[in-house]
Amino acid sequence: MNGDWLLRGCDGRLTVYLPSDDAVLCRAELAPGGPWEAPRGIGGEQRVRPGPAVGQGADGYAHLAAWRPTADGGSVLVHSTHFRPRLAPLDWSPIGHPNRTGDRTGTPAVAVDARGRAFVFVRNGGGGVSVLVQREKGGWYPWVDLGGQRVHEQLTAVTSELGRTGLFAAAPDRILHWRQEDPNRRPVRAESLDVSAEPGTLRALATSAEHTTLYFTDRRGEVCAWRPGGAPVPFLTAAGPGPVSAVRCVIEGNDCTVLAQRAASGRIAFAAYPTEQERAGAWWTESGPQLPADATVSVALDEHGELVAATLDPSTGTLMLTRRKDEPGLALQAWREV
């Protein structure tokens, strides 16, 4: 999944969204902190291509986007909304193609603004980025080409604390940035960063009312934090490949950011530091069993505002979960399969 696939719903229950062959599955807690239901498919028998995306609004609703194959050999993007963890998600609904017709052009990314409108971003056939914005009263506005050149496959979308959407995309020699300056208008090109990021390592998080922080791995293997308007700060050697998962939480009364990443050892590595204070330093602590190379991790907050982390082994579908212990620091419970 492109985006955080472990989410807390509006009723406090956790939900996970899991790609599986030609489908997307979801699982939810039967009660906050309780047992989990069996996996169920989104959209019935409708098939989707690999690389779906998920985003969540302040209302707790999850919005998903994926490519669906068409009868003529092309693809069309589809969208689904999941209102509550125990309810079934809506069926996949077609939302078009950034170039009107054709095959898949890139992995979508989803953000949801303060008004609950989904923004679906995707690389288009010209190598730039296009966006589709949901109407408040149903339907979608037309596709808009936001520009850009030679952007990589993976995009990362984000919603600020003010409820405005933004997007980051990596190109061969820079990171491109779009942001929504006005809540009534689409995102526009903003400051870019002249740096080479490892493809597929971008992840963004709202870290204050003023700032969104982009995390990426540079060519030296360092995890960097960049807040537009400032310089990127390399502060941590990447534990492994791929993007970090990030969440803000309170640890011993302090506003902290927790990062998680599958380490080269196969275990999950965690790091925590005071939010927006990367220069204070951070270090990885590994946890849990060794996992396959394609395993992923996602972090979120539970109904009590405490850290919870999930890992998925895509080859077996095994889902494991851990939570922060009720003790000082970032101590975690034993991982358990759910």
Side-chain angles (χ1 to χ4, degrees):
M1 298 292 296
N2 187 18
D4 292 315
W5 48 266
L6 171 66
L7 301 176
R8 183 182 66 193
C10 54
D11 59 3
R13 293 180 175 92
L14 295 171
T15 303
V16 293
Y17 298 94
L18 314 172
S20 175
D21 296 328
D22 55 1
V24 178
L25 308 178
C26 67
R27 294 186 66 182
E29 291 181 314
L30 296 174
W36 288 67
E37 66 179 6
R40 52 181 169 174
I42 296 175
E45 299 299 319
Q46 297 186 55
R47 297 187 300 118
V48 295
R49 295 192 184 280
V54 62
Q56 187 179 39
D59 53 14
Y61 300 165
H63 291 259
L64 298 102
W67 287 101
R68 185 175 72 192
T70 56
D72 61 1
S75 298
V76 63
L77 279 163
V78 291
H79 168 265
S80 173
T81 306
H82 196 187
F83 296 107
R84 297 174 69 89
R86 294 299 309 282
L87 295 178
L90 298 182
D91 286 346
W92 293 114
S93 175
I95 56 175
H97 191 289
N99 300 107
R100 296 190 179 180
T101 61
D103 205 349
R104 179 187 181 279
T105 56
T107 300
V110 180
V112 185
D113 72 3
R115 291 147 65 179
R117 302 180 304 167
F119 287 59
V120 178
F121 302 90
V122 69
R123 183 180 65 182
N124 56 44
V129 172
S130 292
V131 64
L132 188 70
V133 182
Q134 193 175 32
R135 296 178 186 269
E136 287 187 77
K137 297 183 179 180
W140 299 79
Y141 293 100
W143 281 97
V144 174
D145 188 338
L146 298 179
Q149 294 180 330
R150 299 189 299 161
V151 300
H152 292 154
E153 165 83 11
Q154 182 236 3
L155 312 175
T156 187
V158 65
T159 303
S160 73
E161 287 193 358
L162 299 177
R164 299 181 184 179
T165 63
L167 181 81
F168 295 91
D173 56 357
R174 67 182 53 195
I175 293 175
L176 305 177
H177 177 215
W178 291 261
R179 67 182 179 189
Q180 196 180 15
E181 301 282 2
D182 185 313
N184 298 311
R185 297 182 180 274
R186 63 178 180 269
V188 296
R189 278 285 293 271
E191 175 187 2
S192 61
L193 180 66
D194 292 333
V195 66
S196 294
E198 287 293 333
T201 65
L202 276 60
R203 183 59 53 86
L205 178 70
T207 49
S208 66
E210 298 80 19
H211 298 127
T212 293
T213 300
L214 175 71
Y215 299 97
F216 65 92
T217 301
D218 66 15
R219 297 294 181 170
R220 300 173 300 171
E222 293 290 312
V223 175
C224 302
W226 177 51
R227 283 176 287 280
V233 179
F235 69 104
L236 191 62
T237 299
V244 298
S245 182
V247 70
R248 287 173 62 192
C249 62
V250 176
I251 300 178
E252 298 180 43
N254 299 307
D255 178 2
C256 294
T257 296
V258 176
L259 306 180
Q261 189 175 43
R262 183 196 173 276
S265 68
R267 304 178 74 197
I268 301 300
F270 293 88
Y273 68 95
T275 297
E276 296 190 353
Q277 297 182 39
E278 291 83 11
R279 297 187 188 281
W283 56 90
W284 295 113
T285 300
E286 295 187 7
S287 172
Q290 287 189 328
L291 299 167
D294 58 350
T296 59
V297 60
S298 190
V299 290
L301 301 182
D302 66 12
E303 74 277 14
H304 302 299
E306 293 291 350
L307 178 74
V308 57
T311 66
L312 173 69
D313 178 351
S315 59
T316 64
T318 301
L319 178 68
M320 300 184 70
L321 205 73
T322 186
R323 297 173 186 265
R324 181 172 172 249
K325 291 181 179 179
D326 185 17
E327 59 182 59
L330 190 58
L332 298 172
Q333 299 174 6
W335 289 83
R336 62 182 181 88
E337 184 176 339
V338 297

